[in-house]
Amino acid sequence: MNVPVRSLYIHIPFCGSKCFYCDFNSYVSSETVMERYTDALCKELTMIAQTDSALPLRTVFFGGGTPTLLPPRLLEKILQTLHQFYSIEADAEITMEANPGSVDSDTLRIIKEHGVNRLSFGVQSFDDTMLHSLGRLHDRNTVYRSFEMARKAGFYSINLDLMFGLPDQTLELLEDSVSQLLMLAPEHVSVYGLKIEAGTPFAKWYDAGHLQLPPEHAEVAMYEFVQQSLADHGYEQYEISNFAKHGHKSRHNIVYWRNEPYLAAGAGAHGYVGGRRYANIKRLDPYMEELEAEKRPIESVESISVEMEQEDTMMLGLRLAEGVTYDRFFTRHGVAMQEVFGSVIQDFAGKGLLEVDESGVRLRRSAYIVGNEVFAGFIDI
Ligand code: SF4
């Protein structure tokens, strides 16, 4: 079944500096470059609207980079273009990523006036020494100030990102960060374990033996501590890394996990439309040049076969606490889940990693930490 496209991702690839662990497509650039990028992005948004989008959008997500690093007038231009060329549902979720310290009252007022109703702050830790060693630009006090500013500006749906498994991080240090976070009472929390990504300063230091990462058992203890603390404070864990208060699950990210289609604009952005996944040109100059020549900046397109689509539905859907229901699978693929994946499911259920009932299949909570092993079992069966 062809699922209609109701979501849009917009990539803003600018940061104040590069964090030591980061391999996202982001750059430290001048305002002149940001201005040129904004023009290119607005052109791409109009092109997409003319070709791909028909139905009103339900979710829009501004990711980065640090979208709020753009000067307010440029953010306003992008948001005006969005509203001019796209129909957006009245209760759509419009999220913007931000970093503590990258927001001021002007920026917050403008984005709110243009419909942004959810903010996601990359906090990562409340420990100043830890933040410094990650190459983050903010400190703990900046988090408090930015959070308060966002509340004052009228944002009542805020996510805070936290990281664990960091160099020299102890369970005690993480406990302190979690308790600081809980005092702020955000509506949503995302918690990620550090991964050493190739090409980053962290990868270089790790290879040279200069990074002391917590051992695996300590990392597991950290993850379990976060799960328990957030559950004790009324957050529902609805995905391996995501926790929400009632009514505040990320609707945009659920689109990804349910393997539904989405549009994407911006350098290096990835979209999924009409059974095809596409990737935009990553580097800023060639991305902007393509648009200046009135061309869509698409670098690669991959047609997703029926088998790949079914595999993706399982791999992504099993990240969700709700798992994959038989109904959803059948409606989407026109075939019973058990017919395609019956033996894999039986195998993992036998190992105690999957839970199977009359409605569908889900990862057991005790298996979240080894989720990747299960997901891999659904590929190329
Ligand atoms: S703020 Fe986010 S996107 Fe920017 S460098 Fe740091 S981790 Fe990467």
Side-chain angles (χ1 to χ4, degrees), residues 208-243:
H210 299 321
L211 277 191
Q212 289 305 317
L213 297 182
E216 202 179 314
H217 68 85
E219 233 186 295
V220 172
M222 288 180 190
Y223 180 67
E224 289 174 352
F225 169 77
V226 172
Q227 281 182 305
Q228 193 56 54
S229 310
L230 292 175
D232 291 345
H233 287 80
Y235 292 87
E236 178 191 343
Q237 182 170 15
Y238 69 101
E239 195 265 351
I240 289 181
S241 306
N242 287 279
F243 304 78

Side-chain angles (χ1 to χ4, degrees), residues 3 23 51 62 74 102 148 152 162 209 250 263-264 274 286 309 312 325 343 363 377:
V3 184
D23 75 337
T51 52
F62 288 87
L74 298 183
S102 73
E148 197 188 323
K152 275 200 183 129
L162 212 57
S250 165
L263 304 163
E309 205 174 15
D312 287 347
T325 64
S343 61
L363 202 59

Side-chain angles (χ1 to χ4, degrees), residues 11-29:
H11 192 71
I12 310 288
F14 302 111
C15 285
S17 70
K18 265 316 252 191
C19 301
F20 302 145
Y21 58 88
C22 176
D23 75 337
F24 294 155
N25 192 33
S26 69
Y27 307 89
V28 179
S29 301

Side-chain angles (χ1 to χ4, degrees), residues 324-343:
V324 186
T325 64
Y326 298 130
D327 280 356
R328 194 186 296 282
F329 190 94
F330 187 81
T331 309
R332 174 67 185 273
H333 301 292
V335 60
M337 186 201 299
Q338 291 291 5
E339 210 175 295
V340 187
F341 296 110
S343 61

Side-chain angles (χ1 to χ4, degrees), residues 65-113:
T66 311
T68 47
L69 203 68
L70 282 184
R73 67 189 171 86
L74 298 183
L75 277 174
E76 186 165 36
K77 191 168 177 181
I78 297 168
L79 286 159
Q80 280 169 344
T81 304
L82 175 70
H83 287 286
Q84 185 183 348
F85 290 94
Y86 293 78
S87 156
I88 300 177
E89 284 190 350
D91 69 342
E93 174 193 273
I94 307 183
T95 303
M96 190 171 284
E97 286 186 336
N99 274 319
S102 73
V103 291
D104 56 31
S105 48
D106 230 21
T107 300
L108 291 168
R109 179 182 52 77
I110 284 172
I111 63 174
K112 181 133 198 316
E113 276 171 12

